[in-house]
Amino acid sequence: MNTRVKFSLFAMLTVFTLVLSACNNNDDENFSSKKIDTGLSVDEISNEAFKEKFPLHYESYMKNNDDTTETKYGGSVPTSKFHENKEPYLPILFNNFGFAQEYNEERGHTYANIDIKKIARITEKSPGACLTCKSTAVPKLIETMGVKYYSANFLKEVLPKAEEMGHSPVGCSDCHNPKTMELRITREPFVKAMKEVGVDVSKASKNDMRSYVCAQCHVEYYFKSDTKEVTFPWDKGFKQQDMYDYYEEQRKNGKFVKDFDHSISGAPILKAQHPEFENSQQGIHAKNGVSCSDCHMPYKRVDGKKMSSHNTFSPLLNENTIEDACRTCHSDQNVKEIKDHVYEIQDTHMEGLHFAQDVSVKAHYYVNKMITSKVPEDRIKEAQEAVRKGQWFWDIVAAENSAGFHNPQGGMNSLRISTNESNKAIQLATVELVKKGVDINELNDEIRKVMKAVADEKDLKKKHTKAINSYFPKVVQEVQPAQPAK
Ligand code: HEC
Ligand code: HEC
Ligand code: HEC
Ligand code: HEC
């Protein structure tokens, strides 16, 4: 850590301690210095119940409703990931899976229960497990229903129960004990997975808790094949390769094989989900003890009182957010310099990401051609393996929401592995296709055409239908589940 950063940290802590010791109303309470009793039940799950006691926190939390500001790669405006300037070939890459029909950028916590009801990936068959990271009712539902909560029907049973209980989206009780307001962990899958990597979260430091509360949800997960229990694939570590090795082991043991068979290449594909925690653990900030809350819930002053922002926004939203989230430590850079630096990291990252995705698209179509040209089965299998691996290593990076910022080097490394694997599939295919007399120039032309057809289709929900045509027919017939069901 450089001396300036160290000094600012010291200065920040000193000022913070002084401010906190000077005030004693609820909004300003510091839990490590004094125990409080809110008078609320420890089972309270409604955000509104906290409004009177903590008006400033409630108001700050409600600012998550603002979904009008965009940053270059993030922000809160509801946007499809299929747009031209995002990841336009996802309807090809997830073909035969719900994520090819609708896949959106995330927005504020207050929308969690609204957005899950609207998304096309939720169907009549979706399991209760889908609610796990959205609603404050989840811990209580698990307490009453046991492990059956996860596999119970989402639309018919679990959601109506949660609504009846008066649930809130991602709320106070998810991160705080409602009675004492101490930070707490409410999601068992996180506790279990941390135990597997040797961490007892009940003994976590306050600083670790400032990340752990987020890591209950902002992580890669899968639904166990039998019980649909939400499970985190961490027992080999947090790196992209560690999680891939975990899934390969599950597959060998016959426990869990894939999320879906790809309709173009027939490869058994894994779908990755938002691994903000795992990814940032490898980055320079986590290694220096900087928590998620330092950047996404920074201390700020409201009506002369110091408090943690509860508007969990992108730190790049505006000058004030960069000031609060970054300049506390990076006081040697001005707001513009900080923003430019982040965008420089993100631009490089997104260029690498788009490159890896393009190679992955090409690999799927090359394998399609192997299948329709009837090359030997074992060669197809080998190429499908490389396609599966190539896709995992870009997806686990693309599904992460910081566009590379949380861990620039880890992200680029994953994209390097991805490109390498997809290229391996293309090479394998080329050797076999040439033997069969396939015109490789024609194949490449057809790939360009089909990619253009997907990009040009204006109806977002129809894009995936343009990924298949008479030259590249569907090679998998079964209908696949619409929700992640690893
Ligand atoms: C050093 C500061 C820092 C830390 C620590 C940090 N983040 Fe971020 N985070 C950022 C920045 C900068 C972005 C990029 C925002 C953008 O592109 O608009 C970001 C993006 C995100 C996004 C997407 C936001 C959007 O608007 O698209 C999420 C979600 C997120 N971070 C969650 C987390 C979680 C969870 C942790 C802890 C495990 C964490 N972050 C740790 C700075 C940080
Ligand atoms: C109970 C699950 C849960 C917890 C705990 C949680 N999040 Fe989230 N977070 C979500 C979900 C779900 C969304 C997306 C909501 C939507 O798009 O409807 C989200 C969205 C976000 C976003 C995007 C906001 C935007 O405007 O685009 C950020 C940033 C974020 N979370 C950061 C954090 C941080 C930091 C923590 C810990 C202090 C945290 N989250 C804890 C579930 C959670
Ligand atoms: C996503 C997790 C999360 C949610 C949701 C959340 N908080 Fe917090 N809250 C935190 C974190 C992290 C801190 C900082 C704690 C610390 O460092 O001791 C905090 C701090 C506080 C504090 C202490 C003073 C301060 O500002 O640091 C109060 C009071 C508080 N929250 C109230 C609320 C209320 C009321 C709600 C619901 C409207 C809520 N919180 C929702 C994570 C959350
Ligand atoms: C609590 C302190 C703290 C906060 C808050 C913080 N940083 Fe940092 N940041 C650090 C430390 C420590 C390093 C490592 C510096 C070193 O080793 O010299 C670092 C390094 C960096 C680097 C260089 C790393 C790289 O990969 O090139 C960038 C860029 C950066 N921070 C941007 C940000 C941004 C943007 C924010 C706000 C969203 C932010 N930081 C918030 C402490 C912080």
Side-chain angles (χ1 to χ4, degrees):
M1 198 187 286
N2 70 32
T3 39
R4 250 188 241 173
V5 168
K6 242 190 236 161
F7 175 74
S8 341
L9 270 173
F10 175 72
M12 195 174 79
L13 283 174
T14 313
V15 171
F16 186 48
T17 316
L18 287 175
V19 168
L20 284 168
S21 50
C23 42
N24 55 8
N25 71 20
N26 277 339
D27 269 318
D28 248 2
E29 207 71 58
N30 174 293
F31 316 122
S32 55
S33 61
K34 199 166 78 157
K35 289 255 179 248
I36 60 163
D37 186 346
T38 60
L40 293 169
S41 153
V42 71
D43 290 330
E44 184 56 63
I45 61 165
S46 160
N47 283 334
E48 281 58 47
F50 295 79
K51 186 176 175 182
E52 208 178 304
K53 293 262 170 212
F54 304 103
L56 296 180
H57 288 83
Y58 182 82
E59 193 187 322
S60 171
Y61 168 83
M62 289 309 279
K63 287 209 180 106
N64 285 309
N65 273 333
D66 180 357
D67 62 352
T68 56
T69 314
E70 214 169 18
T71 62
K72 192 164 183 184
Y73 298 106
S76 316
V77 179
T79 328
S80 168
K81 283 204 185 215
F82 299 164
H83 277 302
E84 207 179 334
N85 54 354
K86 300 274 178 186
E87 296 163 55
Y89 302 118
L90 294 183
I92 300 177
L93 292 159
F94 297 129
N95 214 279
N96 216 23
F97 200 46
F99 284 88
Q101 287 165 33
E102 188 177 1
Y103 195 1
N104 303 322
E105 294 285 348
E106 81 298 14
R107 53 178 172 163
H109 283 159
T110 43
Y111 289 103
N113 287 337
I114 296 173
D115 289 345
I116 188 151
K117 282 203 269 188
K118 285 196 319 206
I119 191 93
R121 297 199 304 273
I122 286 286
T123 67
E124 279 170 9
K125 289 199 190 125
S126 298
C130 297
L131 195 65
T132 308
C133 282
K134 312 290 186 295
S135 154
T136 55
V138 171
K140 199 85 207 147
L141 285 168
I142 294 176
E143 211 180 295
T144 50
M145 299 172 72
V147 81
K148 266 176 34 209
Y149 149 82
Y150 292 106
S151 58
N153 188 281
F154 179 84
L155 284 175
K156 289 200 200 86
E157 188 174 353
V158 172
L159 187 62
K161 269 198 179 135
E163 283 172 348
E164 206 178 282
M165 288 161 73
H167 73 156
S168 293
V170 186
C172 319
S173 64
D174 285 328
C175 304
H176 294 285
N177 175 328
K179 199 170 160 58
T180 64
M181 294 307 278
E182 279 167 317
L183 291 181
R184 69 168 182 186
I185 301 297
T186 50
R187 299 302 192 274
E188 264 321 294
F190 176 69
V191 178
K192 270 196 199 164
M194 289 301 274
K195 202 176 269 165
E196 274 173 20
V197 295
V199 178
D200 178 353
V201 295
S202 70
K203 298 204 171 75
S205 68
K206 182 179 133 164
N207 194 49
D208 284 341
M209 285 300 279
R210 290 167 54 82
S211 292
Y212 288 177
V213 287
C214 318
Q216 307 184 83
C217 301
H218 287 270
V219 290
E220 158 67 5
Y221 66 87
Y222 71 104
F223 297 165
K224 272 197 179 149
S225 333
D226 45 359
T227 57
K228 300 279 179 267
E229 246 176 299
V230 173
T231 312
F232 304 166
W234 292 351
D235 70 6
K236 300 187 188 314
F238 293 133
K239 293 200 173 126
Q240 294 92 354
Q241 181 75 53
D242 298 332
M243 292 191 272
Y244 191 72
D245 292 345
Y246 173 99
Y247 284 125
E248 285 303 278
E249 193 175 274
Q250 294 292 308
R251 187 188 193 192
K252 254 193 229 117
N253 298 339
K255 286 198 176 136
F256 163 70
V257 176
K258 64 194 168 190
D259 280 306
F260 69 107
D261 288 315
H262 202 281
S263 53
I264 297 162
S265 63
I269 300 288
L270 298 164
K271 173 75 193 83
Q273 329 284 341
H274 40 70
E276 277 85 60
F277 176 64
E278 298 91 325
N279 193 39
S280 65
Q281 284 304 99
Q282 318 296 324
I284 186 113
H285 285 101
K287 293 225 190 291
N288 281 284
V290 183
S291 71
C292 313
S293 305
D294 287 326
C295 294
H296 290 285
M297 300 183 66
Y299 298 115
K300 57 171 192 160
R301 218 161 248 295
V302 180
D303 297 344
K305 292 172 185 164
K306 191 148 186 162
M307 62 176 282
S308 305
S309 167
H310 276 58
N311 178 7
T312 30
F313 45 65
S314 153
L316 306 180
L317 275 195
N318 58 50
E319 290 199 355
N320 292 335
T321 58
I322 296 177
E323 184 69 41
D324 292 343
C326 316
R327 288 202 71 249
T328 36
C329 297
H330 296 290
S331 54
D332 50 344
Q333 284 181 290
N334 66 35
V335 163
K336 184 175 180 307
E337 284 165 342
I338 291 176
K339 190 168 177 172
D340 288 349
H341 193 161
V342 178
Y343 281 162
E344 206 177 298
I345 293 170
Q346 291 183 320
D347 287 346
T348 313
H349 176 88
M350 290 308 287
E351 207 177 299
L353 176 71
H354 285 139
F355 185 83
Q357 286 185 341
D358 285 0
V359 184
S360 192
V361 165
K362 203 168 157 184
H364 280 292
Y365 285 117
Y366 265 67
V367 176
N368 181 277
K369 198 69 192 162
M370 286 173 103
I371 297 168
T372 55
S373 308
K374 304 207 162 38
V375 315
E377 207 50 45
D378 62 324
R379 307 309 289 164
I380 296 174
K381 279 257 151 14
E382 201 180 330
Q384 284 171 332
E385 282 306 298
V387 166
R388 166 180 159 104
K389 197 167 173 188
Q391 177 135 342
W392 167 263
F393 279 89
W394 65 252
D395 191 21
I396 191 73
V397 168
E400 211 273 353
N401 284 299
S402 70
F405 174 77
H406 290 148
N407 175 14
Q409 200 177 9
M412 286 313 261
N413 189 46
S414 198
L415 296 172
R416 174 186 64 78
I417 300 172
S418 166
T419 308
N420 203 25
E421 288 298 325
S422 302
N423 270 326
K424 208 193 270 174
I426 294 170
Q427 273 164 20
L428 275 163
T430 308
V431 171
E432 298 305 320
L433 293 175
V434 167
K435 281 188 210 157
K436 291 277 179 187
V438 171
D439 181 344
I440 300 292
N441 285 331
E442 183 187 279
L443 173 59
N444 287 336
D445 278 347
E446 289 295 334
I447 294 174
R448 269 190 291 275
K449 272 195 244 164
V450 77
M451 287 172 81
K452 187 171 180 316
V454 170
D456 287 351
E457 171 60 54
K458 291 282 170 280
D459 184 341
L460 298 172
K461 291 202 168 106
K462 282 206 187 121
K463 278 178 178 281
H464 69 103
T465 63
K466 305 285 165 163
I468 286 166
N469 56 30
S470 54
Y471 191 87
F472 297 119
K474 199 171 160 100
V475 298
V476 173
Q477 294 318 323
E478 319 98 83
V479 178
Q480 303 284 328
Q483 73 281 345
K486 272 179 232 182

